[in-house]
Amino acid sequence: MKTAGIIFLVLGALAILFPHIAGLSYNYILAYLILFAGAVHLWWAWRPSLDGRTHHLLLGLLFLAAGLGLVIFPWIGLISFTIILGASFLIQGGVQLAMAANSPRLVGNSKTMLVLSGLAGILAGALILLELPSSASWAIGTLAGLNMLFFGVALLVVDKALSGPFDD
C-alpha cells in the first residue's frame, strides 16, 4: 500500500504541474477504450448464428468513429469532459444546498459545512463553464491530480495505521 501511495503522490503532483498533458492523457485513454469496444462489437457482428448482428455492426462502427474522433481531435474530448465536470459541480452544489435547506436534522457546523461545500461546488462549476474553452486546458488535469494526490496521502495514512510495530 505504501508503494501505491507514493506512486499516486508522484502522479498527482505531475498532473498538477502539467494539467494539459494529464487531461489529454485521460482523453487518449478513453479514446482507445472506445476503439477497443468498437472492435469487440465488430468481432461479435461476424460471429456465426448471432442474433442482433446488425446492432453489433452499427454499434461497432459508431464506437470506432467516436474513438477515432477523440484520437484525431483530442480537444473535442477535453472540452466535453470539462463541460461534464462543470455541470456536475453545479448540480452537486445545488443538491447540497437543497439538502441543507430541507433537512431539519442538520444543525450547526454540519449544516454550515454542507452550505459552504454546496456554494464552493456552484462557484467551481460556474468558473469552469464560464472560462470555456480555456478552462479545458487545466481543469481536468488539475482536479484529477488533486484527486490522485489526496488518494496517495490516504493510502500512506492507512498503510501507517495498519502496520504493526515491527513493519517498515
Side-chain angles (χ1 to χ4, degrees), residues 91-112:
I91 292 167
Q92 176 190 355
V95 168
Q96 287 176 324
L97 289 178
M99 280 176 47
N102 295 320
S103 181
R105 295 188 323 172
L106 287 175
V107 293
N109 288 339
S110 61
K111 187 171 197 162
T112 302

Side-chain angles (χ1 to χ4, degrees), residues 119-143:
L119 291 174
I122 290 172
L123 180 64
L127 289 175
I128 288 170
L129 292 175
L130 290 174
E131 291 296 318
L132 275 172
S134 67
S135 63
S137 67
W138 61 264
I140 300 296
T142 301
L143 293 172

Side-chain angles (χ1 to χ4, degrees), residues 12 16 20 23 25 29 47 53 60 67-68 75 78 80 87 89 93 107 113 120 123 129 134 136 140 159:
I16 291 169
H20 181 71
S25 298
I29 290 169
R47 299 224 355 139
R53 180 170 291 181
L68 282 174
W75 270 99
L78 208 49
S80 300
F89 280 178
V107 293
M113 287 306 296
L123 180 64
L129 292 175
S134 67
I140 300 296
D159 180 70

